[in-house]
Amino acid sequence: NAGVMQNPRHLVRRRGQEARLRCSPMKGHSHVYWYRQLPEEGLKFMVYLQKENIIDESGMPKERFSAEFPKEGPSILRIQQVVRGDSAAYFCASSPRRGDEQFFGPGTRLTVL
Amino acid sequence: SQKIEQNSEALNIQEGKTATLTCNYTNYSPAYLQWYRQDPGRGPVFLLLIRENEKEKRKERLKVTFDTTLKQSLFHITASQPADSATYLCALEDSSASKIIFGSGTRLSIRP
């Protein structure tokens, strides 16, 4: 069984560009979570999605950030007009049911120049 | 809003000793609490989940306790090994029950 897959693993963008981060959950998992982690800091919740629905986006910045989990295909975290402060590791996790253990992907390390 | 605190940023202990990590929370009574391990450059890996009606849970050399009166969980690694060196995160379900929130982690180093 493949685990949670994220791509790209590393992404470099210049200020003002768009960043698209992809997450394919484990087979059979319909719950996806996105987290951001700054160096030497803990994981900060961003958004929780279940197929085609955003369940909780209380951790998402109000502007420039959006997320989706379409019926077919991976979940996408999109950051428009990136700024240096967006540089971080972005982790995706999936679970088969709400409240179950979460399985994390390897993360995407975003660097904004 | 609920808050999670892990006792220290870093903990250094001698190989073979028991490592004890603390997780305290406030303003909420979660239905369960989870512990994860994170190695540098990698995503967290789930270790144990303990529910509010469970006092203690064990898995090999790991033991977790959950005291809902003290609002505290203790995470023990017995007979610690250098390979146990990592950052350990506690996480609990937030009051909306729609997500879990993580503590900032304790970086554990086991010296030979």
Side-chain angles (χ1 to χ4, degrees):
Chain A
N1 276 333
V4 176
M5 300 178 69
Q6 289 188 249
N7 67 80
R9 294 292 307 277
H10 300 274
L11 183 60
V12 179
R13 285 285 177 267
R14 296 192 179 279
R15 280 180 296 169
Q17 291 184 318
E18 178 179 288
R20 278 186 180 239
L21 289 61
R22 292 176 198 77
C23 169
S24 296
M26 285 184 72
K27 189 176 179 182
H29 289 193
S30 60
H31 300 255
V32 166
Y33 312 81
W34 285 92
Y35 297 87
R36 177 162 64 178
Q37 188 172 40
L38 294 168
E40 304 302 319
E41 291 190 14
L43 289 161
K44 301 295 183 195
F45 168 81
M46 298 182 75
V47 62
Y48 163 34
L49 308 107
Q50 190 182 0
K51 278 293 183 182
E52 300 185 272
N53 293 307
I54 296 175
I55 307 300
D56 185 329
E57 57 181 347
S58 58
M60 288 275 271
K62 295 285 184 277
E63 296 174 349
R64 301 188 298 108
F65 286 72
S66 62
E68 62 176 11
F69 188 16
K71 189 175 179 182
E72 302 289 338
S75 175
I76 307 284
L77 179 68
R78 184 179 176 209
I79 311 172
Q80 295 178 290
Q81 297 176 313
V82 295
V83 301
R84 288 221 174 99
D86 296 333
S87 296
Y90 291 83
F91 289 98
C92 163
S94 73
S95 67
R97 287 169 296 275
R98 189 160 90 179
D100 280 1
E101 64 181 272
Q102 295 187 8
F103 293 82
F104 281 80
T108 293
R109 275 145 193 85
L110 173 65
T111 301
V112 180
L113 302 177
Chain B
S1 63
Q2 56 270 51
K3 210 173 159 185
I4 307 176
E5 287 182 353
Q6 294 192 238
N7 60 323
S8 58
E9 284 189 11
L11 187 63
N12 296 297
I13 67 165
Q14 183 74 42
E15 181 178 7
K17 301 288 187 187
T18 296
T20 298
L21 285 63
T22 305
C23 177
N24 295 296
Y25 58 92
T26 59
N27 299 335
Y28 180 56
S29 297
Y32 61 84
L33 190 145
Q34 302 179 6
W35 283 88
Y36 289 78
R37 168 184 172 142
Q38 186 175 24
D39 290 284
R42 296 183 165 228
V45 174
F46 172 81
L47 295 174
L48 281 166
L49 179 153
I50 186 164
R51 301 194 182 278
E52 58 181 342
N53 61 347
E54 297 174 310
K55 294 284 185 210
E56 180 181 299
K57 203 156 201 181
R58 292 175 185 261
K59 179 182 174 183
E60 298 173 352
R61 295 184 295 110
L62 309 181
K63 184 178 90 170
V64 171
T65 62
F66 193 9
D67 189 326
T68 55
T69 302
L70 291 177
K71 294 188 184 292
Q72 181 181 81
S73 175
L74 298 179
F75 177 81
H76 307 272
I77 305 175
T78 58
S80 60
Q81 305 166 359
D84 296 326
S85 299
T87 295
Y88 291 85
L89 307 166
C90 75
L92 56 80
E93 182 190 48
D94 90 324
S95 55
S96 69
S98 66
K99 61 182 181 284
I100 61 171
I101 52 175
F102 283 82
S104 55
T106 295
R107 192 169 57 249
L108 176 66
S109 297
I110 310 296
R111 57 182 187 276

